[in-house]
Amino acid sequence: MRLYALFTVIFFVATINAASIFQKTEIQQKVRYDNYKVFKIKYETEMQRQKLLDLTKIYQSFRLWHEDSSECYLMVAPNALPFFEETLKRNNASAEILIANVQDLIDKENEADARASDKFGWTRYNSLAEIDAWLDEILAGYPDVTDGFVVGKSYEGRDIRGIKISYRSGNPGVFIESNIHAREWITSATATWLINELLSSSDDLVRDLAESHDWYIVPVLNVDGFVYTHEKDRLWRKTRQPSNISQCIGVDPNRNYDSHWMENGGASSDPCNEAYAGPHAFSEPETKALSDFVASIKDKLNIMIAFHSYSQLLLSPYGHTKDEVPENYDDLMQVAKAYSDTVKDLPYGTVYRYGSSAGILYPASGTTIDWAYNEQDIKISYTIEFRDTGNFGFVLPSAFIIPNAEEALIGIIALLAESKELGYLEPKYI
């Protein structure tokens, strides 16, 4: 027992020292994830769950990729494998390897993107500069129905850009927030594909979708983090604002909204944790800017959708508690079912589960959709967690961009149709 305790102390110190390179402001070379593995662990008891999740709270060499009430996916650094295996043994738990080497996925993603055309499109993942240049082309090409807007500035001074698409006045409004978590590249790829379809598709269903709603779409909210994932660390999640109390950088912007902020264990107070909620609500200029912008047009908005990955889920409020649900929860589930059923009927057969954020996953406080629902009275608000369910996780190959985007489009058509049937798309202004 003494040897085990000594090993734990030595491992703790070594892990924190080794992992600190991922948290410091300056990294000279790209972070690599050679021989990092992702494990799937099913819980049999609540004690197992707590012991395994404690690893991610204490040691930087364990990162939580996914968790729900029955299982979690952990990325484990190679130097932490002996300790991980010992922890499993001591808690009578077992693990299945989902990804044997995370760096292999990243390398293959880079190789695939390098082979793709340099022209903007959806056969590869695009950088922020490429997305901004493409937005300029779109605004120039469709001046009668589009308007560009800037939500605000990021911590590092970048513009947070969006586009409004409107074919006629008086339409119900749909707001889409994307890439709030930096590493979730499939979200901005899907958002830009959706913009393109709304403007250029000749399909009757898509034309009706485009022309019967006003669209406000922000392809990349966390612009600083997104650039950082392209240039330094593919798996970075948070913003890039330094902390006053720690060497660790950034805040989870989807725990930073002023709605039940830091309640019920739905976020972390540790600046080194990937779910760090920040020193106070709206501490991040990105979330503050988006909240101010949405609040300024809330009377025009009927729907709020936040694009995320991964897990193939449609999540409604509440995130801060599973002990209560919104007053229109039955309607929210009916609308979510319409999305799920329609997507499943496509040739891909992709299955989306649905429920409240806290009910189907875990407590998550201070999120975009809870803030939109609770504070801005946008009663149809969802987080959509895109593909996949774990084989690739956050490093979804670019070959899946168009299939995922097609599913999102047809799903949103069904979502809006069901919302209209239930009376949620009545225009808020004329």
Side-chain angles (χ1 to χ4, degrees):
M1 181 65 81
R2 289 180 180 177
L3 284 175
Y4 177 79
L6 177 61
F7 173 75
T8 301
V9 172
I10 293 172
F11 174 80
F12 178 84
V13 174
T15 302
I16 292 299
N17 288 340
S20 65
I21 62 169
F22 302 123
Q23 301 290 345
K24 291 180 180 178
T25 307
E26 294 299 329
I27 295 178
Q28 298 305 316
Q29 297 179 335
K30 278 192 174 183
V31 173
R32 291 188 60 84
Y33 291 91
D34 295 293
N35 299 313
Y36 279 67
K37 301 181 186 301
V38 177
F39 293 89
K40 176 181 178 179
I41 308 107
K42 283 193 172 292
Y43 311 132
E44 294 182 4
T45 67
E46 179 60 23
M47 171 126 356
Q48 284 181 343
R49 176 179 176 272
Q50 288 300 328
K51 291 289 185 183
L52 291 164
L53 294 182
D54 282 348
L55 294 175
T56 66
K57 297 174 183 176
I58 300 172
Y59 304 119
Q60 297 281 324
S61 288
F62 297 92
R63 297 198 196 175
L64 184 65
W65 275 33
H66 164 79
E67 192 226 344
D68 59 33
S69 59
S70 64
E71 63 188 19
C72 70
Y73 300 170
L74 290 182
M75 184 176 75
V76 182
N79 68 323
L81 285 172
F83 183 73
F84 177 63
E85 291 166 358
E86 180 66 24
T87 301
L88 291 174
K89 183 178 179 181
R90 287 170 63 83
N91 290 281
N92 297 315
S94 60
E96 170 192 350
I97 296 177
L98 287 179
I99 300 173
N101 187 341
V102 173
Q103 189 60 44
D104 280 350
L105 292 185
I106 296 172
D107 290 343
K108 289 175 182 177
E109 179 182 71
N110 292 336
E111 292 165 5
D113 287 356
R115 289 194 301 269
S117 169
D118 288 339
K119 184 179 178 181
F120 189 95
W122 296 275
T123 58
R124 65 178 175 89
Y125 289 107
N126 299 288
S127 69
L128 182 67
E130 290 171 323
I131 292 172
D132 282 346
W134 178 79
L135 279 176
D136 289 337
E137 292 178 7
I138 288 294
L139 292 167
Y142 297 89
D144 295 335
V145 295
T146 64
D147 287 295
F149 60 87
V150 175
V151 170
K153 294 280 189 181
S154 69
Y155 169 75
E156 294 178 349
R158 295 182 175 89
D159 284 340
I160 303 167
R161 298 184 61 187
I163 184 171
K164 179 185 177 183
I165 300 172
S166 179
Y167 283 84
R168 56 176 174 263
S169 62
N171 279 336
V174 181
F175 196 100
I176 295 177
E177 170 213 87
S178 177
N179 239 138
I180 190 172
H181 287 147
R183 63 193 174 192
E184 297 170 8
W185 290 4
I186 187 61
T187 63
S188 52
T190 300
T192 52
W193 190 89
L194 177 61
I195 291 167
N196 190 66
E197 287 296 297
L198 292 173
L199 293 168
S200 66
S201 175
S202 58
D203 181 89
D204 289 343
L205 281 175
V206 179
R207 290 272 36 91
D208 181 65
L209 178 77
E211 296 173 19
S212 300
H213 307 85
D214 283 355
W215 298 86
Y216 302 82
I217 303 176
V218 177
V220 183
L221 177 62
N222 184 3
V223 287
D224 295 347
F226 185 66
V227 169
Y228 195 76
T229 61
H230 280 265
E231 296 180 354
K232 297 294 183 182
D233 183 351
R234 174 63 180 86
L235 297 179
W236 187 261
R237 169 183 169 97
K238 300 191 288 183
T239 61
R240 292 296 302 163
Q241 181 167 213
S243 168
N244 291 328
I245 60 173
S246 171
Q247 279 191 324
C248 294
I249 303 295
V251 165
D252 181 344
N254 202 40
R255 302 293 186 277
N256 191 237
Y257 282 84
D258 193 8
S259 183
H260 298 277
W261 182 80
M262 281 292 293
E263 285 189 17
N264 298 332
S268 174
S269 59
D270 177 6
C272 296
N273 192 287
E274 289 197 322
Y276 176 48
H280 55 81
F282 291 141
S283 62
E284 304 310 284
E286 296 85 357
T287 56
K288 184 63 168 66
L290 190 81
S291 69
D292 288 345
F293 183 84
V294 170
S296 74
I297 61 168
K298 70 175 184 178
D299 290 340
K300 302 177 183 179
L301 298 179
N302 302 70
I303 308 282
M304 181 72 154
I305 300 174
F307 284 174
H308 284 256
S309 74
Y310 63 98
S311 290
Q312 294 170 200
L313 301 170
L314 206 70
L315 303 173
S316 79
Y318 297 127
H320 70 280
T321 180
K322 63 180 180 181
D323 295 331
E324 58 180 298
V325 294
E327 59 184 6
N328 66 332
Y329 183 71
D330 289 345
D331 287 353
L332 286 165
M333 292 303 97
Q334 184 173 329
V335 173
K337 184 178 185 300
Y339 183 105
S340 176
D341 289 350
T342 301
V343 170
K344 186 178 179 181
D345 286 343
L346 291 174
Y348 305 116
T350 304
V351 176
Y352 272 75
R353 295 184 295 140
Y354 51 90
S356 72
S357 294
I360 201 171
L361 286 180
Y362 45 77
S365 55
T367 65
T368 303
I369 65 161
D370 273 18
W371 174 82
Y373 184 94
N374 293 323
E375 315 305 330
Q376 302 304 309
D377 200 36
I378 304 173
K379 293 308 182 185
I380 298 294
S381 294
Y382 295 99
T383 293
I384 303 179
E385 296 275 1
F386 290 143
R387 292 191 184 197
D388 63 357
T389 55
N391 290 330
F392 300 102
F394 300 115
V395 195
L396 189 71
S398 52
F400 291 100
I401 293 174
I402 291 178
N404 185 84
E406 290 173 342
E407 290 169 347
L409 175 60
I410 198 70
I412 289 171
I413 290 174
L415 184 154
L416 293 179
E418 197 68 23
S419 296
K420 182 178 181 179
E421 185 72 19
L422 292 171
Y424 287 98
L425 293 192
E426 294 301 318
K428 291 187 174 183
Y429 76 108
I430 300 297

